Amino acid sequence: MTLRHFLRDDDLSPAEQREVLDLALAFRDDRHLRRPLAGSQAVAFITDKPTLRTQVSFATGIAELGGFPLMVDGSLAQIGVRESISDTTRVLDRQVAAIVWRTFADSRIQEMAHVSRVPVINALTDGFHPCQILADLATIAAHRGGVDHLKGLSLAYVGDGANNMAHSYLLGGVTAGMHVRIGAPTGYLPATDIVARATDIAATTGGSVTVTTDPREAVTGAYAVATDTWVSMGDEEQAAQRETPFVPFQLNAGLLSHARPEAIVLHCLPAYRGKEITAEVIDGPQSVVFDEAEFRLHAQKALLTWLLETSDV
Ligand code: NVA
């Protein structure tokens, strides 16, 4: 029996990621291209954290794949509190075709995947946001004329280098053969095991990894420049101490001027104008953030289709 999950970006090999991204672009051109959930089968979407784009894009995508989006409020389900992760999973996987979960510690979704008999998809954890990176890669590919063009491009991310987005850019970007540069303040650098893993993948794909505390070095010559909130969900009590160290990493017109002239700007949203990004940049001509938000839909439909077809469950 083959059963595939998507808990972190490197759960897809470079060839597999390529298939998913090609399918994402095909879904962009034809929203009803494939209907693997027709019948209809349900997919559970559970969230333990706030969500807008992820919930909307999964619910819409599951419906467009012919299925039923079963939305579960994590504050009611209280997974791991009211009922164990294992028991919850064993109830769900007899009824749904896949489980999508946004939660806190990665160990929680790993435990679910260990038990589940259907694909489990990470809809954001403390460690990774791999569905967002698939959308980002598809967005970049769409702006460059296809998935073939990702290899060799430079992708810069400035801001919290220790958060889920930074880790997913590292793993997902090098899987696509990109040169991933992370610019972050001391104390907010990516986890060393993720940098090491990304470096290993890069050695096989022709990509590379740069981690620097100089935001200008990170951005210089980049084709895509991304940032994210300085205060991720779960970090709220550190909001005050996170203000000052990140100021030099704000994505503003001055910093963006060091990227390639045709560079595009990415942000997973929600954005805090005047903090990690200026209004001038996110609302400016180089910003593609709403294309990026739309690609959540296409990329997740492609991912679900691929996982369901690859897993013989
Ligand atoms: N790093 C952010 C991403 C939000 C989509 C967070 O985890 O809150």
Side-chain angles (χ1 to χ4, degrees):
M1 189 187 92
T2 305
L3 174 58
R4 296 293 297 266
H5 305 296
F6 188 57
L7 306 189
R8 41 188 269 175
D9 310 79
D10 55 345
D11 284 341
L12 292 178
S13 71
E16 292 169 346
Q17 183 197 64
R18 165 78 201 243
E19 289 176 29
V20 172
L21 293 175
D22 279 334
L23 189 52
L25 266 63
F27 269 124
R28 189 267 316 262
D29 296 337
D30 178 358
R31 296 265 285 253
H32 298 285
L33 180 68
R34 305 265 279 276
R35 292 171 60 80
L37 295 168
S40 63
Q41 299 181 71
V43 171
F45 177 92
I46 315 163
T47 187
D48 295 340
K49 289 179 175 175
T51 173
L52 173 79
R53 271 151 300 283
T54 304
Q55 170 174 264
V56 168
S57 55
F58 267 109
T60 304
I62 291 160
E64 289 183 359
L65 294 177
F68 174 73
L70 176 62
M71 311 311 280
V72 179
D73 180 341
S75 68
L76 296 178
Q78 297 179 45
I79 301 174
V81 177
R82 183 168 171 267
E83 190 165 26
S84 71
I85 293 172
S86 170
D87 283 0
T88 306
T89 308
R90 293 169 69 191
V91 170
L92 289 174
D93 75 2
R94 291 184 178 217
Q95 302 179 59
V96 302
I99 305 171
V100 182
W101 195 11
R102 166 170 289 193
T103 191
F104 291 89
D106 288 82
S107 57
R108 287 168 59 79
I109 200 164
Q110 287 161 6
E111 187 176 341
M112 176 177 280
H114 184 68
V115 175
S116 181
R117 297 183 307 180
V118 298
V120 175
I121 295 175
N122 180 350
L124 183 147
T125 53
D126 293 345
F128 304 96
H129 196 2
C131 290
Q132 179 70 55
I133 269 49
L134 286 178
D136 286 26
L137 295 174
T139 305
I140 299 168
H143 280 267
R144 289 298 287 186
V147 181
D148 282 342
H149 298 271
L150 289 175
K151 195 173 168 62
L153 288 182
S154 293
L155 164 67
Y157 168 88
V158 285
D160 183 1
N163 78 5
N164 41 20
M165 286 298 296
H167 289 155
S168 279
Y169 276 126
L170 279 167
L171 295 180
V174 297
T175 299
M178 300 179 84
H179 303 294
V180 182
R181 295 102 157 271
I182 306 291
T186 308
Y188 298 95
L189 297 172
T192 51
D193 61 320
I194 302 302
V195 173
R197 174 73 179 134
T199 304
D200 284 349
I201 298 169
T204 70
T205 62
S208 67
V209 173
T210 303
V211 177
T212 174
T213 54
D214 177 353
R216 188 188 290 196
E217 182 192 347
V219 166
T220 297
Y223 175 75
V225 184
T227 189
D228 182 22
T229 181
W230 296 337
V231 185
S232 286
M233 294 178 278
D235 290 338
E236 291 84 356
E237 74 288 352
Q238 300 171 23
Q241 76 204 55
R242 283 172 166 263
E243 193 84 358
T244 312
F246 287 104
V247 170
F249 296 83
Q250 182 190 63
L251 184 51
N252 53 37
L255 185 56
L256 185 60
S257 71
H258 297 285
R260 291 166 65 112
E262 73 275 31
I264 57 173
V265 169
L266 298 163
H267 191 307
C268 61
L269 305 175
Y272 300 91
R273 288 169 173 78
K275 299 281 189 183
E276 76 274 6
I277 193 165
T278 58
E280 181 185 18
V281 168
I282 196 167
D283 299 319
Q286 290 173 270
S287 172
V288 298
V289 300
F290 296 107
D291 291 346
E292 181 187 2
E294 181 189 319
F295 261 110
R296 295 294 303 279
L297 173 69
H298 311 311
Q300 289 159 190
K301 285 168 68 182
L303 175 70
L304 263 168
T305 301
W306 190 91
L307 289 173
L308 290 166
E309 290 183 352
T310 307
S311 303
D312 51 3
V313 290

